[in-house]
Amino acid sequence: MLRSKVRSELPAMVKLEDLSIIRAPIDRCFDLARSVEVHIAGNVHSGESAVAAGGVTSGLLSMAQNVTWRAKHLGVWHRLTSEITAMDRPSYFQDTMTQGIFRFMQHDHFFRSLSPNETEVKDVFCFAAPLPVLGRLAEMAFLRRYMQALLRERNAVLKQIAESPEWPQYLPGRA
């Protein structure tokens, strides 16, 4: 089921992209990318956790489900709630911020099987900082680099877990 917002109707924003090749099947990559536990492992530096606020706090996120994250970024604790707003298993899903500090944030996850045991993972991450004028200055000064580093760190953890013998602990019953 696909249900995506039209970006042309949104504020000016930053668009980041990252491409990874993971030596693992597409289904494993897709499911690990939806795992709350893998997301937390990929953001351990920020003390991030999923908090009980009416959303999912463990396991795999599915269409129309919400998760609220609590994390420390740039020295300040933040809460951000996102929803899975589009999904086409195992090739695509999208999460969109529904509450948080940004004016807008949306993350598209694309998966393409290169062979039975190799998957291309492409992330397109768009965001608009709070406060239109000051936010644009922050985006240019440091926020773009900071968010790109977070995206790359998360993807490196996804790759490491998917390629390791430990991946079944994140997807119980799938080994």
Side-chain angles (χ1 to χ4, degrees), residues 125-165:
F125 184 79
C126 297
F127 69 92
L131 306 171
V133 175
L134 291 175
R136 288 300 288 170
L137 293 173
E139 288 168 1
M140 291 185 291
F142 64 89
L143 208 46
R144 173 186 292 272
R145 284 189 306 272
Y146 183 80
M147 297 304 282
Q148 184 74 56
L150 283 178
L151 183 61
R152 287 190 177 133
E153 178 182 355
R154 182 187 179 281
N155 289 342
V157 169
L158 175 64
K159 178 179 174 67
Q160 183 274 317
I161 290 170
E163 293 177 351
S164 79

Side-chain angles (χ1 to χ4, degrees), residues 10-22:
L10 301 170
M13 68 185 82
V14 174
K15 179 180 178 182
L16 305 173
E17 295 189 20
D18 193 57
L19 186 69
S20 303
I21 305 298
I22 300 178

Side-chain angles (χ1 to χ4, degrees), residues 19-71:
L19 186 69
S20 303
I21 305 298
I22 300 178
R23 290 184 312 273
I26 190 171
D27 289 326
R28 181 188 310 167
C29 295
F30 183 83
D31 287 344
L32 288 170
R34 297 183 300 124
S35 165
V36 170
E37 290 78 12
V38 170
H39 185 90
I40 291 169
N43 291 287
V44 71
H45 71 279
S46 64
E48 189 161 29
S49 62
V51 295
V56 175
T57 57
S58 65
L60 303 182
L61 293 162
S62 296
M63 183 64 189
Q65 288 186 320
N66 292 288
V67 61
T68 298
W69 305 102
R70 180 177 181 269

